[in-house]
Amino acid sequence: EGLRCGLSSTHDGQLVAARWNGKFQWWIPATGKLVHEQVINEESEVGLCTIAVSPDGSLIGYGCMSADVRLLDADSGALRATIAKSQHMFFGPLAFVPKTRHIVVPGVDAMAVAQFRQQFDPDNPAEQRFATVRRWDYDQKRELWSTGPLPIMNCLAVSPDGQMVAAGFLASDDPIHIWSASDGKLLMKLVGHV
């Protein structure tokens, strides 16, 4: 199977995590030591999967299109928090917000999917607009803000200072969107990046 849909590390390179051969695994690169592995439940965790390491290396976040987003303790692998699939219909990459207990999670707007289902073009999925970006407080288990509908994302990042969230999309002519991380307000669209 090999590497599939996920590779992440801390900014200082002290921890690297990946989806690999049916497992989510993380290592200490300096020693090559495998810290922990989480076997993927092939019955429930199918489709697009992604993984992210919190900036301080204390948490590993992972999710699959068909399952909840789970946040695990990086040392023990113990489950620390869950964002239920029913709350976001996860779809796409994850990003932690530095120096907070928050994570930015893309999702699918179920209302938009219902509206566009009749018009959905499977030959041109990048043109569909039913994705969302949502900031979650994972300790309080509540959504702080949401924006969309948007095209399907293929990358998502939070600035190192935690002030901005950026997303790129599958369609090559869709501009990169940049939002305020505090309230989800769209700050700018960057065009000409392709």
Side-chain angles (χ1 to χ4, degrees):
E1 179 182 339
L3 185 62
R4 290 255 185 110
C5 302
L7 180 65
S8 181
S9 71
T10 54
H11 294 294
D12 60 8
Q14 296 297 309
L15 191 67
V16 173
R19 178 182 178 193
W20 183 261
N21 291 329
K23 301 171 185 171
F24 289 107
Q25 299 175 311
W26 48 100
W27 303 264
I28 299 171
T31 63
K33 178 186 175 190
L34 176 66
V35 177
H36 191 78
E37 64 182 23
Q38 181 77 27
V39 176
I40 295 170
N41 181 336
E42 297 294 346
E43 292 181 14
S44 64
E45 297 173 331
V46 297
L48 177 72
C49 293
T50 191
I51 192 165
V53 181
S54 64
D56 65 1
S58 66
L59 292 175
I60 305 292
Y62 78 90
C64 297
M65 189 168 68
S66 60
D68 302 337
V69 171
R70 292 183 175 91
L71 304 179
L72 307 177
D73 182 275
D75 290 329
S76 68
L79 182 66
R80 296 267 300 273
T82 300
I83 299 172
K85 178 180 135 183
S86 62
Q87 294 175 299
H88 66 90
M89 294 179 65
F90 169 76
F91 190 88
L94 306 171
F96 284 91
V97 180
K99 299 178 183 172
T100 70
R101 308 295 286 172
H102 302 164
I103 190 167
V104 178
V105 179
V108 174
D109 185 321
M111 296 279 285
V113 169
Q115 291 171 353
F116 291 111
R117 185 165 279 155
Q118 294 175 344
Q119 302 167 2
F120 184 78
D121 179 1
D123 295 325
N124 199 7
E127 296 302 316
Q128 311 308 309
R129 300 236 185 305
F130 51 78
T132 62
V133 173
R134 300 172 188 217
R135 181 172 175 167
W136 285 88
D137 180 322
Y138 50 81
D139 279 345
Q140 300 293 319
K141 297 185 179 178
R142 65 184 179 97
E143 181 181 297
L144 302 174
W145 56 259
S146 175
T147 184
L150 300 162
I152 297 172
M153 281 160 266
N154 64 355
C155 56
L156 180 70
V158 176
S159 62
D161 64 4
Q163 299 300 305
M164 294 181 288
V165 175
F169 306 97
L170 286 179
S172 61
D173 58 347
D174 274 314
I176 293 171
H177 287 51
I178 299 179
W179 298 273
S180 164
S182 63
D183 59 10
K185 179 182 176 184
L186 183 65
L187 300 176
M188 66 185 82
K189 294 181 181 182
L190 305 177
V191 295
H193 59 281
V194 293

